Amino acid sequence: TGVDVIPASYSDRDTTQWRMKTDCSLSRGGLELVTPILENEEDLETLKKVINVLDANGRVNSSCGIHVHTDCRNTKTHQVRKLMKYIGKYELAMNKLVSKSRRGHSRWCNDNWKSYRNSEGSSPTQLFIRLNSKTKRQLLNTIQDSRYAKWNFQNYMNHGSVENRMHQGSLNAEKIANWVLLNQAMVNCAFDERGTRVLRTETFEDYTVDRMLKELVNRGYLTMSQKSYFMCRAEDLA
């Protein structure tokens, strides 16, 4: 591909180079591909070329996952709150877009709001009310008690990024590229000036994949063809 990919240690934090790193969570001596920060469509095309080489020479198993970091530097408290609301509103819908092994409780990526949903009297409206009263520090302590949540905010304070860990491992370039774009769409939609809203009469189950994708299309963050792709994915994974 003409891309230089260098070997690196697990603790290496360089964001400017393509790296292959060891990772103790991977079985059988597996490696993790870490990209530099992807800035544009050209970088995404480069990622697809690299993935195609890995697909021809490697494989994934159930210990593998796709982690997408989204740059959220210089965001305000209300934007962090809106992203957490969005995750809470559509967490069940997002689970329909990943394999069954990555839904609900998974060793490396637990639902952020599952324990809240299981509590008595919980509803999207009550969750939003709960989040409205919290400072940024309180918000970051609320959404998880571990870095092994589907949306990991531990890097937010130190590096200004949010990590989505929920997708199963893959060497399918189209699947990975679409997942990256969906992550960006979800974060952008959450940060939209209009924010995300819920109705008092509705439950978490009412906020489906179709409704999530329609919202992303209506606000201009996904195309209709991308929506069709993910609706097919949900059907395939059902």
Side-chain angles (χ1 to χ4, degrees):
T1 64
V3 176
D4 289 328
V5 182
I6 62 172
S9 66
Y10 178 76
S11 59
D12 181 88
R13 299 293 179 188
D14 187 352
T15 59
T16 64
Q17 300 200 64
W18 293 80
R19 293 156 290 154
M20 292 295 288
K21 297 168 61 174
T22 56
D23 189 326
C24 61
S25 65
L26 297 173
S27 65
R28 302 182 183 180
L31 294 171
E32 177 183 30
L33 172 72
V34 184
T35 76
I37 296 174
L38 305 178
E39 302 281 358
N40 48 43
E41 290 287 341
E42 184 179 352
D43 288 346
L44 198 59
E45 288 302 312
T46 301
L47 171 63
K48 290 161 73 173
K49 291 176 183 177
V50 173
I51 294 299
N52 285 335
V53 173
L54 294 183
D55 187 32
N57 294 277
R59 62 187 179 88
V60 296
N61 60 26
S62 60
S63 72
C64 299
I66 298 171
H67 299 172
V68 180
H69 296 259
T70 303
D71 185 2
C72 297
R73 284 172 292 183
N74 304 316
T75 50
K76 308 295 184 183
T77 299
H78 75 279
Q79 292 175 301
V80 176
R81 182 182 296 116
K82 285 195 290 185
L83 179 55
M84 293 183 179
K85 286 179 176 180
Y86 188 92
I87 295 167
K89 176 181 178 180
Y90 285 122
E91 188 164 61
L92 291 178
M94 287 184 243
N95 277 341
K96 300 291 179 64
L97 298 176
V98 297
S99 66
K100 290 183 178 180
S101 65
R102 310 287 286 192
R103 300 174 190 174
H105 177 77
S106 174
R107 182 179 179 186
W108 304 115
C109 59
N110 298 312
D111 278 5
N112 291 89
W113 294 115
K114 183 176 182 180
S115 59
Y116 175 81
R117 288 195 304 271
N118 291 340
S119 60
E120 186 177 354
S122 66
S123 70
T125 300
Q126 289 302 315
L127 174 62
F128 278 31
I129 292 172
R130 176 184 178 187
L131 293 176
N132 283 338
S133 63
K134 296 188 180 296
T135 65
K136 185 183 287 189
R137 176 68 67 178
Q138 289 171 329
L139 287 168
L140 295 172
N141 289 334
T142 295
I143 196 167
Q144 64 181 58
D145 57 8
S146 165
R147 64 178 291 236
Y148 298 122
K150 285 181 176 164
W151 289 82
N152 172 24
F153 282 78
Q154 283 201 352
N155 284 329
Y156 179 86
M157 296 304 288
N158 295 326
H159 305 291
S161 67
V162 175
E163 176 190 27
N164 184 334
R165 306 168 54 88
M166 68 189 299
H167 201 288
Q168 66 273 14
S170 176
L171 291 177
N172 182 307
E174 180 187 22
K175 191 181 297 183
I176 293 171
N178 276 299
W179 184 248
V180 170
L181 293 173
L182 179 63
N183 270 257
Q184 208 164 42
M186 289 188 288
V187 173
N188 283 334
C189 188
F191 285 173
D192 190 302
E193 285 303 313
R194 291 171 288 174
T196 189
R197 296 177 173 84
V198 292
L199 297 177
R200 291 184 180 275
T201 56
E202 295 190 315
T203 68
F204 290 105
E205 287 76 12
D206 290 316
Y207 294 103
T208 61
V209 173
D210 184 56
R211 289 183 68 171
M212 180 181 78
L213 294 174
K214 278 183 179 177
E215 183 175 356
L216 294 175
V217 170
N218 290 340
R219 295 195 183 191
Y221 297 120
L222 278 187
T223 64
M224 282 300 296
S225 62
Q226 288 170 324
K227 179 191 176 213
S228 297
Y229 171 86
F230 281 108
M231 289 300 294
C232 290
R233 287 289 297 147
E235 188 174 324
D236 289 343
L237 290 164

